[in-house]
Amino acid sequence: MVDLVPAEYTVYAPSVTTAGNATVALVRGPEGKLLWLSQPLPGFRGQALPAGGVVCPLSSENAQALGCVFPWLFPRRLPDRPSFGFGDRLGLATPGHIRACTRTRVFPILAQQSVRENARTGRTFEEVLASAIFGAFQEGYSGGFGADADHVKTIEDALHAADLGFTLFTCDPSDHIAAMGPLPSTEVARRFRIMPEAPAWRKEYLNREFDLNGWDKIRFTEEGLAYTAVKYGAAVRFASAMDQALRGRCPAGFDFELSVDETATPTGPLEHLFLAHELRRHDVALTGLAPRFPGAMEKGVDWRGDLVGFREGVRVHVAIARTFGPYRLSLHSGSDKFSLYPILAEEAGDLWHVKTAGTSYLVALEVAARHAPALFREITQLSLARFPEDRKTYHLSADPKRIRNLETITDQELPRLLANGDTRQVLHVAYGSVLRSDLGEDLRAILDAHEEVYHGALAQHLGRHLAHLGATDDG
Ligand SMILES: [Zn+2]
């Protein structure tokens, strides 16, 4: 049937799929990528060709129509095995992400962007999901994937993503977590006393021991309880309200993760236990929890800190997650944390989830460094200029002064800049500024022109992440 595709279009062979009497394929023509249908199908919007068949733009509407014809292209819930978030800020990476995870045990989350990322890149949940659906179709992938509405801070955003078909909701209650700073203990005690739940919490938490599956026992003191409840009381109410709202909107069920990884201090055992126990009392079934880990969890570079301490921290978090779930321990800002992956996988068994996004953007820039050096120089200049502003919402140790002057670097040396932690962080945090500028379009054009190179590089780099997690068949 694909021999009916007009000669000016090239067919992506793995995408060719039949639906009844019709054939559907992803094709590339003079105007870019399109869907080709051998005959009109319900729900698709496109243009009839004189030679027969229909071509349709890669719109959100047509992505939804494609999912209705081929249901394996719609997001689904997490199965009982480890999962990995392949965030894609450009909307072009999915085929590379699929190649990275075939022949591994991980369940891929192919659509994963946070509300903040979308605000910075100017994209929407609709577009993020459509890119994942078309990417999976291009690869002929039918193994299933999830869609994560990441770091949602309002119930409205969560419900919007639910209506589009997202299956995983990462609730970010940051706006409801009290800033404790150097609050005196008398003030903490006063705030605790006036909380309506205080008497019930006292009864629930004091004078008892929480047994973490035989691994350890945890006791709350009055002060410990007051501090934890004041800090997280409103966050629990918010998470529970979001969960409740989603239940009304997702009759087939959904996955719910709580993220407290962007707090000022590492999440201690009392804090994690309180959140887990309270959410269970509110009938919230967690799929995962992302604590703030100790040490320097910086973007796009490996972790710096005490690995023995990290392992101990993971052990406590896993014990709590097993006791009150079981649910996954979720590692956010998970790009390039090669020294942590083996520890996470060893301690958590199959109960882990890792989120990445920035590293796929850096792979894209590496392709630009090799194939469009002038563009890469412009992107680096803009990122350096934007750094004082763009770094504000991140924990970073990068010092732009340590980056070599671009004028002294030959084109051949440019890709090596990506091996340097300072450069990686400066480039990483400026993604919004770059992608919203004209350079964003130029970068997309280069990646499109070199898509095999880009997807191959992604498969290799993200594949290395999965190998360190012990998730490959031979690992
Ligand atoms: Zn996070």
Side-chain angles (χ1 to χ4, degrees):
M1 202 70 109
V2 281
D3 42 342
L4 298 176
V5 176
E8 69 261 39
Y9 297 104
T10 326
V11 177
Y12 286 85
S15 72
V16 179
T17 316
T18 52
N21 294 328
T23 299
V24 186
L26 195 79
V27 299
R28 177 187 281 279
E31 61 276 63
K33 282 185 203 175
L34 294 163
L35 277 181
W36 177 83
L37 319 177
S38 62
Q39 62 186 65
L41 288 171
F44 289 89
R45 281 209 191 181
Q47 212 184 349
L49 296 171
V54 184
V55 284
C56 309
L58 301 191
S59 63
S60 305
E61 223 177 5
N62 287 330
Q64 293 284 331
L66 196 62
C68 290
V69 180
F70 306 124
W72 59 87
L73 293 174
F74 267 145
R76 64 175 79 163
R77 294 192 56 192
L78 297 170
D80 285 337
R81 54 191 159 101
S83 43
F84 193 95
F86 294 94
D88 174 16
R89 290 171 179 160
L90 285 138
L92 299 170
T94 295
H97 290 159
I98 288 170
R99 291 178 201 177
C101 72
T102 40
R103 291 191 297 281
T104 73
R105 296 187 298 120
V106 300
F107 180 74
I109 308 297
L110 297 177
Q112 174 217 286
Q113 288 288 272
S114 66
V115 175
R116 179 174 67 191
E117 282 174 306
N118 281 340
R120 291 196 174 179
T121 55
R123 295 172 77 214
T124 60
F125 279 139
E126 281 93 330
E127 290 168 339
V128 172
L129 183 55
S131 303
I133 289 175
F134 290 125
F137 185 63
Q138 178 175 329
E139 284 297 290
Y141 174 71
S142 57
F145 64 90
D148 179 1
D150 193 14
H151 277 277
V152 280
K153 291 181 158 192
T154 66
I155 291 173
E156 201 188 348
D157 281 343
L159 293 180
H160 172 60
D163 289 342
L164 297 170
F166 279 72
T167 44
L168 167 58
F169 303 87
T170 300
C171 171
D172 179 346
S174 303
D175 296 343
H176 307 269
I177 298 174
M180 303 303 280
L183 269 193
S185 54
T186 47
E187 175 58 15
V188 176
R190 189 192 67 79
R191 288 196 195 179
F192 181 56
R193 269 199 309 276
I194 57 173
M195 293 180 90
E197 302 97 328
W201 281 334
R202 273 209 185 86
K203 219 179 266 168
E204 187 66 35
Y205 289 91
L206 297 180
N207 306 315
R208 71 176 275 196
E209 219 168 42
F210 289 90
D211 185 351
L212 302 182
N213 274 352
W215 179 83
D216 200 1
K217 293 183 169 53
I218 290 188
R219 272 178 174 280
F220 281 81
T221 60
E222 167 84 21
E223 272 143 8
L225 175 62
Y227 181 91
T228 311
V230 168
K231 185 169 179 182
Y232 288 110
V236 168
R237 274 178 234 131
F238 172 71
S240 155
M242 185 183 282
D243 179 80
Q244 193 66 39
L246 283 166
R247 277 194 226 183
R249 208 59 83 88
C250 305
F254 59 93
D255 294 311
F256 194 75
E257 176 175 311
L258 185 76
S259 62
V260 290
D261 61 304
E262 296 195 355
T263 51
T265 50
T267 314
L270 289 187
E271 294 176 314
H272 184 168
L273 194 151
F274 178 81
L275 288 167
H277 189 56
E278 281 307 303
L279 288 175
R280 197 161 78 163
R281 278 170 15 105
H282 284 83
D283 278 333
V284 176
L286 281 182
T287 313
L289 184 139
R292 157 93 201 270
F293 288 102
M297 194 69 78
E298 297 181 8
K299 302 281 176 177
V301 293
D302 204 345
W303 186 78
R304 285 177 296 107
D306 161 29
L307 284 173
V308 176
F310 179 79
R311 186 183 289 274
E312 277 163 17
V314 168
R315 214 168 266 174
V316 184
H317 286 308
V318 169
I320 297 169
R322 284 191 200 284
T323 309
F324 292 91
Y327 51 82
R328 287 152 217 254
L329 193 59
S330 182
L331 179 71
H332 287 202
S333 304
S335 292
D336 303 286
K337 302 295 178 293
F338 294 105
S339 60
L340 302 186
Y341 302 144
I343 299 176
L344 179 67
E346 278 161 31
E347 297 298 333
D350 276 357
L351 285 176
W352 55 261
H353 180 74
V354 171
K355 293 198 192 196
T356 64
T359 206
S360 292
Y361 173 67
L362 292 176
V363 170
L365 295 187
E366 204 177 329
V367 173
R370 286 185 201 285
H371 297 276
L375 172 64
F376 179 74
R377 285 175 194 275
E378 279 189 83
I379 289 174
T380 309
Q381 298 290 14
L382 177 63
S383 303
L384 281 164
R386 290 285 314 169
F387 187 65
E389 186 59 32
D390 286 342
R391 70 168 302 162
K392 282 183 182 164
T393 50
Y394 296 101
H395 303 279
L396 300 171
S397 59
D399 181 356
K401 287 197 227 63
R402 291 196 294 250
I403 298 176
R404 276 176 66 194
N405 182 347
L406 285 182
E407 282 163 25
T408 67
I409 302 177
T410 64
D411 283 356
Q412 287 70 31
E413 289 176 305
L414 286 177
R416 254 190 275 157
L417 274 179
L418 270 308
N420 171 281
D422 292 299
T423 319
R424 289 181 77 78
Q425 294 199 341
V426 167
L427 290 172
H428 180 291
V429 299
Y431 68 90
S433 302
V434 170
L435 295 179
R436 278 198 321 273
S437 76
D438 293 345
L439 299 179
E441 270 320 295
D442 296 346
L443 178 62
R444 286 195 175 89
I446 287 297
L447 296 170
D448 199 40
H450 298 273
E451 90 175 322
E452 272 307 305
V453 176
Y454 180 38
H455 296 154
L458 284 168
Q460 194 182 34
H461 188 58
L462 274 311
R464 200 152 77 83
H465 284 63
L466 298 172
H468 278 74
L469 281 157
T472 47
D473 280 350
D474 51 5

